[in-house]
Amino acid sequence: MAALRTALLQSSGELGDVAANLKLLDEAAARAAAAGAGVLLAPELFLTGYAIGDDIARLAEPADGPSARAVAAIAARHGLAVGYGYPERDTERHGVLYNSAQLFGADGETLAHYRKTHLFGDFELQWFTPGDRAVVQAELGGLTVGLMICYDVEFPENVRAQALAGTDLLLVPTALMHPAEIVPESVVPVRAFENQLYIAYANRTGPEGDFEFVGLSTLAAPDGTARVRAGRGEDLVVGDVDPAALAASRALNPYLRDRRPGLYGSLV
């Protein structure tokens, strides 16, 4: 099976300007496709910006809204899968908003949709309802791909649930702030190692309202190394998710096989 070249867009885009951010995503998709990528991942709430305050209600859209259709068209135009974060308005529950991520395939069809389960900070707790599905997956390039958002990956049980469900590559759009640099530098590679999967972690960067995003977007491998890592500024980094390396690593590391779930009941 061929490696899945994975591109991480590190950008905060234009605050509150969905059209401008769609243009940035289109440009990044063109660059990623030219580099041979099969999937492009953009950060958390990329379409609107993160620090948008009360505008969150105005800018939120349904999962099949106009911005989703625009992203689907970008994926199809450039022939690669595209994952991104956005504020979702639930059309069935009036006024309910989710911090969501969506993945479109290279044909523009929806592959997966996820709602953030672990909300972080006063802003998210004020505006969003937490999702109730920990494991959301899709098939992409012969791999099982899972979705999470930012804070979700910091919970060991959350990532372990993905691993036990067979996830090979975990896509994590994120909006990580200073002083939490330890997450991309240490936590994400450790999560990849202890669960024997790849983690693509795409972050925002720079100041935005009261927040300071740290960049450091990372593609972590099952051997616990960062195959690629961005710096602090705007960037597009590309690395390979290698099924052969994943299989070899899983053969050498027996964490999942040697688990004793009967001892862990007190955790839940």
Side-chain angles (χ1 to χ4, degrees):
M1 188 188 305
L4 177 64
R5 185 152 292 177
T6 302
L8 307 179
L9 173 59
Q10 180 165 288
S11 174
S12 287
E14 298 293 334
L15 191 63
D17 191 336
V18 174
N21 293 329
L22 286 168
K23 185 174 184 294
L24 287 170
L25 188 63
D26 190 26
E27 294 168 350
R31 292 163 56 200
V39 60
L40 167 67
L41 181 65
E44 180 177 7
L45 296 178
F46 179 73
L47 291 190
T48 59
Y50 189 94
I52 54 178
D54 293 352
D55 270 355
I56 195 78
R58 177 178 63 85
L59 294 172
E61 295 184 22
D64 59 354
S67 293
R69 294 193 293 274
V71 177
I74 289 170
R77 180 160 57 250
H78 297 291
L80 79 170
V82 176
Y84 67 101
Y86 76 105
E88 178 197 356
R89 179 181 302 282
D90 189 337
T91 56
E92 296 182 358
R93 300 172 63 196
H94 181 70
V96 173
L97 305 179
Y98 296 97
N99 184 338
S100 295
Q102 191 149 224
L103 177 66
F104 288 101
D107 57 0
E109 294 298 315
T110 304
L111 293 180
H113 185 271
Y114 173 80
R115 293 165 171 171
K116 189 174 185 179
T117 55
H118 297 76
L119 301 179
F120 178 82
D122 293 341
F123 166 69
E124 292 187 23
L125 290 169
Q126 175 185 353
W127 286 104
F128 296 119
T129 296
D132 57 8
R133 288 184 63 197
V135 177
V136 172
Q137 296 171 309
E139 295 301 312
L140 181 63
L143 298 171
T144 300
V145 176
L147 280 176
M148 272 185 193
I149 300 174
C150 198
Y151 196 37
D152 292 329
V153 80
E154 298 177 40
F155 291 81
E157 305 91 338
N158 225 25
V159 184
R160 180 52 55 88
Q162 287 275 352
L164 293 175
T167 294
D168 301 309
L169 168 62
L170 186 57
L171 302 177
V172 187
T174 189
L176 185 83
M177 308 155 195
H178 178 77
E181 286 87 342
I182 190 174
V183 177
E185 291 175 343
S186 299
V187 173
V188 168
V190 168
R191 289 284 176 273
F193 178 72
E194 68 192 4
N195 290 290
Q196 289 300 290
L197 42 68
Y198 283 87
I199 300 179
Y201 187 84
N203 197 17
R204 306 179 70 82
T205 181
E208 188 177 317
D210 294 332
F211 306 111
E212 177 72 30
F213 299 110
V214 303
L216 303 176
S217 298
T218 302
L219 177 64
D223 62 1
T225 63
R227 294 300 168 89
V228 293
R229 177 175 286 139
R232 299 292 185 123
E234 300 272 329
D235 207 348
L236 180 75
V237 295
V238 179
D240 287 338
V241 173
D242 185 351
L246 179 59
S249 184
R250 286 172 170 173
L252 288 172
N253 189 319
Y255 281 152
L256 298 183
R257 184 180 69 239
D258 290 349
R259 292 171 64 251
R260 296 182 62 194
L263 299 179
Y264 315 141
S266 61
L267 294 178
V268 295

